[in-house]
Amino acid sequence: MIIGTINDGIVIDHIPAGRAMELYRYLHLDKLDCEVAIIKNAPSNKLGKKDIIKINDKIDVNLEILGFIDPKITVNIIRNGEKADKLHPTLPQRITNVIKCKNPRCITSIEQELPHVFVLTDEEKGIYRCLYCDTKAK
Amino acid sequence: MRHLIDILDLTTEEIDGLILTAQDIMKYPEKYAEKCRGKQLATLFYEPSTRTRLSFESAMLSLGGSTLGFSEAASSSASKGESVADTVRVVSCYADIIAMRHLKEGAPLVASLYSTIPVINAGDGGHNHPTQTLTDLLTIKQEKGTLSGLTIGCCGDLKFGRTVHSLVGAMSRYDNVKFILISPDELKIPESVRSEVLDKKGISYVETNSLEAAMPELDILYMTRVQRERFFNEADYLRLKDSYILTPDKLKTAKKDMAILHPLPRVNEISTAVDSDPRACYFRQVRYGKFIRMALIMKLLEVK
């Protein structure tokens, strides 16, 4: 399968297989006018299978969201058809309005204006909990 | 400016300091009678709780201050759809300190993010109830003379019982404390408390269904009520509500100096026949609650 190369843009690589669409939604890539390619189940030496997203434009990618999905994801910045930089996201200390708290007893269940904030409580296991009610993010 | 949302907002040294102040208030109440003259405590109770509200009000009045507030959501602007953030912004203009109880978990934390005066969490759903924990700690200190080296049995609803979650968090910071967690399988302590407090700190604990088996080991027996208001399903409540009932007969194997605590109100989980046992501390516990709240109000208002 051949996907054209990009000249100036971003390649999000090493996405765990099957999670590219989730990332597509979190990063709001549907709002972009440029070409976006989603490659699912590409062969990978490290992971066996992986997903890749190629974006044919220079955009700011929210590295916190990538780190939350999987800190092993890499971001290649492409300029003039060459790899100009490679970024490695880390687990963010907190994420805001990425996922929602599902606890029906949480204050966010009745106050719609509140931001949904999750805080990293266990770096080793990558566990996030709701700032307000401590419910674990799934 | 400081708030008290979670008992772990306070260091062990600060808790020990509050206990010392509360003990001094008990000895010399007249010394403290004017400490908060001219200060106002707003009690924002979106969920009814006579005991906690009266304890806060009594504490403030005993410090020479005054109180204002509401005792249920229906009599507040929440019934008109006002957010917690807006309510505390308004109340911050009238009062000097807020005590808030809310059915929803995290509401007092939201209040603290928008308030310009100190906020005390007076209970948020099944989540936290730090002033009950301070009360429990003062009770244990008064009754046992120490907070270290104790075996503490927590019995009943350990899933929704926020007082248990906060007590486990606070007591796990003292040396050589062991927990015996006694509950039906459906009401076991939440995974978050187990993994992030007990396991993380390497605290010794046992989970069991049997109060009788645990009884001889206990220095403290912390009884809790199975709370009807925390269940979405009435049938589940009815099935579990009588899981553990403490009677004089069950106390026969207990240590002579064991202390029985209960955050109250009780329904039937402690037989009234236990009330006359010298080990029953739960009414003295209520009294201690007022003194520790006095110490806390003074600390947050930075009154010397």
Side-chain angles (χ1 to χ4, degrees), chain A residues 103-105 107 111 129 134, chain B residues 84 104-106 127 196 230:
Chain A
N103 175 9
R105 295 180 178 84
I107 185 67
E111 297 218 351
R129 293 190 183 275
D134 290 320
Chain B
V84 166
K104 293 293 180 184
E105 299 173 7
H127 190 215
E196 291 188 14
R230 305 285 170 233

Side-chain angles (χ1 to χ4, degrees), chain A residues 103-111 113-115 121-123 125 127-136, chain B residues 82-85 102-107 109-110 113-114 124 127-128 160 191-192 195-196 200 230-232:
Chain A
N103 175 9
R105 295 180 178 84
C106 180
I107 185 67
T108 55
S109 69
I110 55 164
E111 297 218 351
E113 302 289 311
L114 285 174
T121 57
D122 189 330
E123 203 155 341
K125 294 180 185 161
I127 292 174
Y128 285 82
R129 293 190 183 275
C130 173
L131 173 70
Y132 310 104
C133 70
D134 290 320
T135 295
K136 192 171 159 184
Chain B
E82 186 176 57
S83 67
V84 166
H102 204 290
L103 189 64
K104 293 293 180 184
E105 299 173 7
L109 175 69
V110 172
L113 299 175
Y114 295 93
D124 57 336
H127 190 215
N128 281 317
F160 298 117
E191 174 277 331
S192 60
S195 68
E196 291 188 14
K200 199 182 243 180
R230 305 285 170 233
F231 284 83
F232 287 130

